[in-house]
C-alpha cells in the first residue's frame, strides 16, 4: 500500500484546519485543545457571528459548531459554510433536546452531529473520519495532477470548465497529425499548448521547433523557414538548414502567423500541400514530414475578409481550432496557477516558501492581468526572488498589483519608531507588538501567532491578559 502512495504524496502530512464555534468559550477552548493534542490546527470563535466572519475570510476543512447559540445558530453556520467552503465538513454539537434540529441539519449537508456532554474520543473519531475523506480527495487531486505532468500536459494548468474542455480536446487531437490553429491574446500560453500537443503525439521524440513570425523581416523569414544555399543572396556565406527541414519528423510551431507576408503565405501553402520545400537559391525540392501548429492573437477570419490573409492558407491551418481564454475570464484557475508557479520558481531559484498570505492571494485574484498567464508567472517569480521571510505577502507584490493602504493604517512600528519603545516595560512592548500584529492580520489569530512565533493558545492567553479587543 505504501508503494501506491508514491511521488511525495503523503496523506499524513496534509494539515487539517478546524474551526470551533461555540458561545461557551471555555468549552470551545477545551474542544480545540483536545484536537490540537492529536495534531489538528484549530481556530476558536466565541460566537456564531465571529465564526461566520472567519468562514467568510479564511479557509477551513472541518467546522465544529454548537447548534444552539444566542446570536447565530448552528443551522445558519451550516448554510454559511456550504456557501463559502463547499468542500468543508460540518459537525454539529447539540443537547439531547435538539436532536431533531441536528437531524434536519444532516439533511442539509452536515457531516454528523454529537451530543453534549461531549465524549472527546467520539469527537476525535468524527473529525478523523471527516478528515480522511478530505485527505483522500486532496490525494486524488494531487495524483491526477502528477499523472498529467507525467504524460506531458504539465504546462497546461487549469480546472475551470473552459480549461477542462481544452485539455480534453488536446488529449483527443494530440495523437493525430492534423494541423492546429491556436487563438488567444498574448501571454495566454499558446506555445505551452503547442508543446503539450507535441509531447503527446507520435512525434514526441523528434524536434519541437518554435518560430515567432513577427520577430523576422520578410527576407529573413523565408530563409528561416526554408533555408538557403550558399551565395543565394548577399551575406549567404554558407548553406543553411531551415526550420522546416530541422523539424522534419517533428512539430513546427509558427507563432503570430497573422504577421506572415502574402508572398511567404503562398510558399507556406505549397509546402503544406506538397510536403516539400525549396531552399532559397536551390532548384531541387526536399521532402519534409512536419506537423504544423500555428498561433495568433489576430482575427484571421477578418483578415481573410480584408484580403490580408490568404483564404486557402487559412482553411489549411484551421483544421482544428483551440481558443484560449484570457486569464481574466478564467479567474478560477488563478489559485492553481499560483501554486504551479510557486513550485516552479522555488525549484528554479533554490528558495524556500512556506505559503502565500490570503491578502496577497486576494490581490492576485482581483487583478485584471492584461499580460495573462505570462504576467502572472513573472509576478510569482518576482515575489519568490524578493521574498525575505518565507511568506509571500502583499509587500512582495509589484506596486500596480498591491492593494492600496487603507485610510488610518499605521506602520507596524508604532509610536514614533523603535526609539519610542526605549524605556517601556517588556510587558508594554509585548502588548504593543501583539496588538499591531493583530491589526496587520485583521484579527486572524492563527496568522498573527505564526508571525509572532508563538502558539495560538499562548496568543489567546495574551489577548485576555492585555485586555485586547479581538
Amino acid at each position: 500500500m505504501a508503494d501506491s502512495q508514491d511521488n511525495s504524496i503523503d496523506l499524513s502530512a496534509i494539515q487539517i484546519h478546524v474551526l470551533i464555534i461555540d458561545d461557551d468559550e471555555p468549552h470551545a477552548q477545551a474542544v480545540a485543545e483536545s484536537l490540537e493534542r492529536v495534531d489538528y490546527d484549530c481556530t476558536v470563535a466565541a460566537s456564531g457571528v465571529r465564526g461566520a466572519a472567519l468562514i467568510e475570510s479564511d479557509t477551513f476543512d472541518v467546522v465544529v459548531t454548537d447548534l444552539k447559540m444566542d446570536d447565530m445558530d448552528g443551522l445558519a453556520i451550516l448554510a454559511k459554510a456550504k456557501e463559502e467552503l463547499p468542500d468543508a465538513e460540518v459537525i454539529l454539537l447539540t443537547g439531547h433536546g435538539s436532536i431533531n434540529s441536528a437531524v434536519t441539519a444532516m439533511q442539509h449537508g452536515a457531516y454528523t452531529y454529537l451530543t453534549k456532554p461531549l465524549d472527546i474520543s467520539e469527537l476525535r473519531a468524527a473529525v478523523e473520519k471527516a478528515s480522511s475523506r478530505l485527505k483522500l480527495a486532496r490525494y486524488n487531486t494531487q495524483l491526477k495532477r502528477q499523472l498529467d505532468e507525467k504524460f506531458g500536459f504539465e504546462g497546461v494548468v487549469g480546472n475551470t470548465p473552459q480549461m477542462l474542455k481544452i485539455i480534453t480536446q488536446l488529449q483527443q487531437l494530440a495523437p493525430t497529425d492534423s494541423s492546429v490553429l491556436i487563438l488567444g491574446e498574448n501571454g495566454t500560453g499558446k506555445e505551452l499548448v503547442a508543446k503539450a500537443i507535441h509531447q503527446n503525439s507520435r512525434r514526441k521524440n523528434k524536434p519541437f521547433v518554435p518560430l515567432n513570425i513577427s520577430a523576422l523581416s520578410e527576407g529573413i523569414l523565408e530563409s528561416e523557414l526554408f533555408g538557403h544555399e550558399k551565395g543565394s543572396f548577399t551575406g549567404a556565406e554558407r548553406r543553411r538548414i531551415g526550420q522546416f527541414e530541422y523539424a522534419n519528423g517533428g512539430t513546427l510551431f509558427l507563432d503570430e502567423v497573422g504577421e506572415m507576408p502574402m508572398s511567404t503565405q503562398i510558399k507556406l501553402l505549397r509546402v503544406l500541400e506538397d510536403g516539400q520545400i525549396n531552399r532559397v537559391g536551390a532548384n531541387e525540392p526536399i521532402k519534409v514530414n512536419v506537423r504544423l501548429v500555428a498561433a495568433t492573437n489576430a482575427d484571421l477570419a477578418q483578415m481573410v475578409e480584408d484580403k490580408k490573409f490568404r483564404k486557402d492558407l487559412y482553411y489549411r491551418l484551421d483544421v482544428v481550432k483551440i481558443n484560449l481564454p484570457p486569464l481574466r475570464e478564467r479567474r478560477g484557475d488563478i489559485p492553481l496557477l499560483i501554486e504551479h508557479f510557486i513550485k516552479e520558481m522555488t525549484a528554479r531559484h533554490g528558495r524556500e516558501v512556506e505559503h502565500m498570505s490570503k491578502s496577497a492571494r486576494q490581490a492576485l485574484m482581483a487583478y485584471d492581468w492584461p499580460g495573462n498567464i505570462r504576467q502572472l508567472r513573472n509576478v510569482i517569480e518576482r515575489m519568490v526572488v524578493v521574498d525575505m521571510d518565507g511568506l509571500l505577502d502583499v509587500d512582495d507584490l509589484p506596486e500596480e498589483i498591491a492593494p492600496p493602504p487603507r485610510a488610518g493604517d499605521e506602520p507596524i512600528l508604532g509610536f514614533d519608531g523603535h526609539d519610542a519603545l526605549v524605556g517601556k516595560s517588556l510587558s508594554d512592548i509585548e502588548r504593543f507588538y501583539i496588538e499591531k500584529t493583530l491589526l496587520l492580520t485583521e484579527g486572524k489569530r492563527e496568522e498573527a501567532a505564526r508571525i509572532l512565533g508563538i502558539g495560538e493558545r499562548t496568543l489567546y492567553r495574551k489577548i485576555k491578559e492585555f485586555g485586547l479587543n479581538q
Side-chain angles (χ1 to χ4, degrees):
M1 185 67 180
D3 292 338
S4 66
Q5 294 176 6
D6 202 353
N7 300 321
S8 302
I9 300 176
D10 182 4
L11 289 179
S12 64
I14 297 174
Q15 181 68 65
I16 296 295
H17 302 279
V18 183
L19 173 63
I20 297 104
I21 307 171
D22 196 333
D23 55 6
D24 181 355
E25 192 165 4
H27 185 266
Q29 293 295 333
V31 170
E33 288 172 3
S34 70
L35 292 175
E36 286 176 339
R37 290 194 195 100
V38 287
D39 295 325
Y40 290 102
D41 181 61
C42 297
T43 301
V44 169
S47 70
V49 170
R50 176 62 180 157
L54 286 170
I55 288 171
E56 207 169 82
S57 62
D58 291 348
T59 301
F60 300 94
D61 303 301
V62 179
V63 178
V64 180
T65 180
D66 196 7
L67 183 59
K68 294 293 185 182
M69 292 182 286
D70 291 336
D71 57 350
M72 189 175 186
D73 68 14
L75 291 177
I77 292 293
L78 172 63
K80 187 71 173 175
K82 289 300 175 184
E83 178 185 352
E84 298 287 343
L85 304 170
D87 294 327
E89 298 286 14
V90 179
I91 298 173
L92 288 152
L93 307 181
T94 181
H96 287 286
S98 303
I99 289 178
N100 287 340
S101 297
V103 172
T104 301
M106 295 275 293
Q107 294 169 345
H108 286 82
Y111 181 72
T112 190
Y113 69 90
L114 303 173
T115 57
K116 293 180 175 180
L118 197 59
D119 183 320
I120 294 302
S121 60
E122 188 179 7
L123 169 69
R124 288 176 177 172
V127 174
E128 179 58 30
K129 193 172 180 182
S131 301
S132 297
R133 190 196 70 80
L134 293 163
K135 287 180 178 181
L136 185 59
R138 289 188 192 174
Y139 171 81
N140 289 335
T141 299
Q142 292 181 40
L143 182 61
K144 182 180 183 300
R145 192 178 305 165
Q146 287 189 355
L147 288 172
D148 285 345
E149 290 179 357
K150 180 179 178 181
F151 291 107
F153 282 99
E154 68 275 12
V156 186
V157 177
N159 57 11
T160 55
Q162 306 102 300
M163 291 308 298
L164 291 176
K165 182 178 179 181
I166 287 171
I167 289 170
T168 299
Q169 191 177 10
L170 292 176
Q171 291 169 338
Q172 292 171 340
L173 69 90
T176 73
D177 276 335
S178 64
S179 297
V180 181
L181 179 61
I182 306 171
L183 304 178
E185 296 178 6
N186 288 333
T188 49
K190 296 187 287 293
E191 184 170 341
L192 289 174
V193 169
K195 284 180 179 177
I197 292 170
H198 175 74
Q199 289 297 326
N200 287 271
S201 73
R202 296 188 296 269
R203 300 172 179 270
K204 64 183 178 182
N205 295 322
K206 297 294 184 177
F208 172 82
V209 182
L211 182 65
N212 191 311
I213 303 297
S214 64
L216 303 169
S217 65
E218 183 174 350
I220 295 176
L221 176 59
E222 291 195 11
S223 175
E224 280 290 325
L225 284 171
F226 312 122
H228 63 254
E229 294 291 341
K230 180 179 179 180
S232 57
F233 55 85
T234 303
E237 297 177 354
R238 57 186 177 86
R239 172 187 287 180
R240 188 179 191 284
I241 300 298
Q243 303 291 24
F244 261 104
E245 214 172 331
Y246 182 69
N248 194 25
T251 303
L252 178 61
F253 172 59
L254 298 182
D255 199 5
E256 303 301 346
V257 71
E259 301 289 325
M260 184 176 288
M262 277 288 188
S263 59
T264 311
Q265 290 180 34
I266 297 170
K267 295 177 181 178
L268 176 60
L269 179 63
R270 188 175 302 125
V271 172
L272 295 178
E273 290 177 342
D274 300 341
Q276 54 188 24
I277 62 164
N278 283 84
R279 295 189 191 125
V280 177
N283 294 319
E284 292 297 320
I286 301 169
K287 290 193 72 65
V288 290
N289 175 17
V290 174
R291 182 182 195 173
L292 189 66
V293 179
T296 182
N297 61 2
D299 186 345
L300 285 190
Q302 185 59 52
M303 290 182 69
V304 170
E305 291 292 321
D306 297 339
K307 310 297 184 185
K308 295 179 180 178
F309 201 87
R310 291 183 63 93
K311 182 184 292 187
D312 43 8
L313 177 59
Y314 172 64
Y315 289 128
R316 198 61 203 246
L317 296 175
D318 190 24
V319 176
V320 178
K321 184 185 295 177
I322 296 175
N323 285 284
L324 292 180
L327 190 53
R328 62 183 174 275
E329 293 179 8
R330 45 177 288 217
R331 291 183 187 274
D333 286 328
I334 292 177
L336 192 62
L337 288 164
I338 288 171
E339 296 306 320
H340 177 78
F341 291 139
I342 288 175
K343 179 181 175 183
E344 176 186 344
M345 296 307 167
T346 51
R348 170 177 295 185
H349 296 290
R351 305 298 296 271
E352 290 188 9
V353 170
E354 293 178 12
H355 64 285
M356 179 180 287
S357 73
K358 187 176 183 67
S359 298
R361 288 180 186 275
Q362 288 173 337
L364 294 175
M365 288 291 292
Y367 189 63
D368 272 345
W369 299 108
N372 292 297
I373 296 173
R374 183 185 296 137
Q375 184 186 10
L376 174 60
R377 182 177 182 273
N378 291 341
V379 167
I380 298 299
E381 181 171 19
R382 176 193 183 279
M383 294 179 75
V384 168
V385 170
V386 304
D387 176 65
M388 300 294 289
D389 57 7
L391 171 67
L392 301 184
D393 209 343
V394 291
D395 61 329
D396 300 314
L397 289 168
E399 289 183 7
E400 67 271 18
I401 298 176
R406 296 171 300 176
D409 275 359
E410 298 178 45
I412 188 66
L413 291 175
F415 305 122
D416 295 316
H418 288 289
D419 290 343
L421 298 177
V422 175
K424 302 287 183 181
S425 69
L426 289 176
S427 178
D428 286 342
I429 293 171
E430 187 178 27
R431 183 188 190 284
F432 171 76
Y433 277 105
I434 288 175
E435 184 175 25
K436 291 298 179 184
T437 304
L438 286 166
L439 285 172
L440 180 69
T441 60
E442 299 178 336
K444 299 179 180 67
R445 293 180 186 175
E446 180 184 4
E447 190 174 344
R450 185 191 56 75
I451 292 172
L452 292 164
I454 60 177
E456 194 174 346
R457 300 279 76 74
T458 301
L459 176 60
Y460 174 76
R461 287 193 295 272
K462 292 293 183 182
I463 289 170
K464 293 191 72 174
E465 177 186 335
F466 294 130
L468 299 176
N469 185 26
Q470 290 292 330

